[in-house]
Amino acid sequence: MLWINQDLELLRQVAEGDEHAFTTLYHRYEAHILQVAGLYVKDRDAAREIVQDVFRKLWENRDRLAEVRDMRNYLFIIARNLIFNQFKKSAQETAAQKELLYNADLSTGGADFRVLNRDCERILHTAINSLPPQRKRIYQLAREKGMSYEEIAHELRISRFTVKNHMAQALQSIRLYLLQHLHTLAAAIGLLMGW
C-alpha cells in the first residue's frame, strides 16, 4: 500500500512537471518494462527503445496522470500498445515487401528482376555512402555486421545514446534519399511490369 501511495504522489508531481519525480518513476519501473518488452520483441535494443517510448509517452501525457490509480498497470498498457503497434508495422512492411517482390517476379523475367534488384541495391548503397563518415560506420556495424548498440558504443568508444542518435539520423537520411529517388524505382518497376 505504501508503494502505491508513493506512486500516486510521484504521479501528482510528474503531472505538475516535476522532472525529479519523473526520474524516480523511471528508475522504479524501467527494469520491469524492459523485462516485459524483452519477452515480446526478443531484441535488447528494441526493448530498450520501447522503455524509452513508454516514458516519453508518460511525460507527454502527464496532464492525464491524475486519473491513474495503478502505475504498474498503466505503464504495462502503454508498453503493450507500443509492442503491438511495432508488430503490426513490421507485419505490414513484410507483407508489402513480399507483395512487391511477388508481383515483380510474376510479371518480369528473372533477368529483368535481377536488373531491378541491382538498381534498388545501387540506390540504397548510394544513400548509405552519402552519410557522414561516423554515421555510415555506425549504420554498417549495426545493419551489416549485426552489432548491438552497446557493442558499437564499446568499439567506437562513444555512448550508447550517441550510437542510437546516429542510427536514427542515418535511417532518416536513407529514407529521405530513397523517397527522393523513388520515382526512378517506380519508373523501372513500371517498365518491367508493362505499365
Side-chain angles (χ1 to χ4, degrees):
M1 189 68 170
L2 176 64
W3 193 267
I4 292 172
N5 288 338
Q6 288 175 346
D7 280 354
L8 292 176
E9 177 58 23
L10 288 169
L11 284 173
R12 184 190 64 72
Q13 292 170 2
V14 171
E16 294 173 359
D18 185 329
E19 293 180 16
H20 178 70
F22 177 79
T23 302
T24 302
L25 281 175
Y26 179 87
H27 290 302
R28 185 175 286 187
Y29 288 102
E30 171 193 20
H32 174 68
I33 297 169
L34 183 62
Q35 181 181 20
V36 169
L39 290 173
Y40 289 98
V41 297
K42 310 290 188 213
D43 179 291
R44 192 178 180 114
D45 289 327
R48 284 194 175 118
E49 286 184 31
I50 287 170
V51 171
Q52 296 300 316
D53 288 343
V54 165
F55 283 98
R56 181 184 48 78
K57 283 193 170 292
L58 178 72
W59 183 254
E60 288 172 353
N61 297 312
R62 62 188 177 276
D63 57 325
R64 296 187 221 146
L65 293 179
E67 304 163 9
V68 176
R69 295 291 167 245
D70 186 333
M71 185 66 188
R72 191 178 184 102
N73 284 342
Y74 181 72
L75 292 174
F76 175 78
I77 290 168
I78 295 173
R80 181 199 63 195
N81 291 342
L82 288 168
I83 292 165
F84 287 162
N85 288 343
Q86 186 175 346
F87 284 159
K88 193 186 317 180
K89 182 180 175 187
S90 293
Q92 289 169 343
E93 287 173 356
T94 301
Q97 289 171 351
K98 284 182 180 179
E99 182 70 20
L100 178 62
L101 290 175
Y102 178 75
N103 288 336
D105 199 27
L106 284 180
S107 61
T108 63
D112 289 340
F113 184 70
R114 284 191 295 274
V115 169
L116 175 61
N117 191 41
R118 193 170 50 238
D119 286 345
C120 292
E121 287 178 7
R122 180 184 49 77
I123 291 172
L124 178 60
H125 186 68
T126 304
I128 293 167
N129 283 336
S130 70
L131 296 172
Q134 185 174 17
R135 196 167 296 157
K136 176 182 173 184
R137 177 87 174 122
I138 289 170
Y139 178 86
Q140 289 173 325
L141 290 173
R143 292 298 167 107
E144 295 170 11
K145 292 193 176 181
M147 293 173 69
S148 72
Y149 290 178
E150 281 188 25
E151 292 169 330
I152 296 168
H154 180 74
E155 181 169 316
L156 299 180
R157 292 186 170 94
I158 57 177
S159 74
R160 186 186 168 283
F161 182 74
T162 301
V163 172
K164 181 179 175 183
N165 281 341
H166 274 290
M167 271 302 289
Q169 291 173 356
L171 292 172
Q172 183 179 7
S173 295
I174 290 168
R175 282 187 199 108
L176 286 173
Y177 187 91
L178 293 177
L179 283 173
Q180 291 168 352
H181 292 82
L182 189 59
H183 65 278
T184 304
L185 291 175
I189 292 170
L191 285 172
L192 290 173
M193 298 180 87
W195 295 341

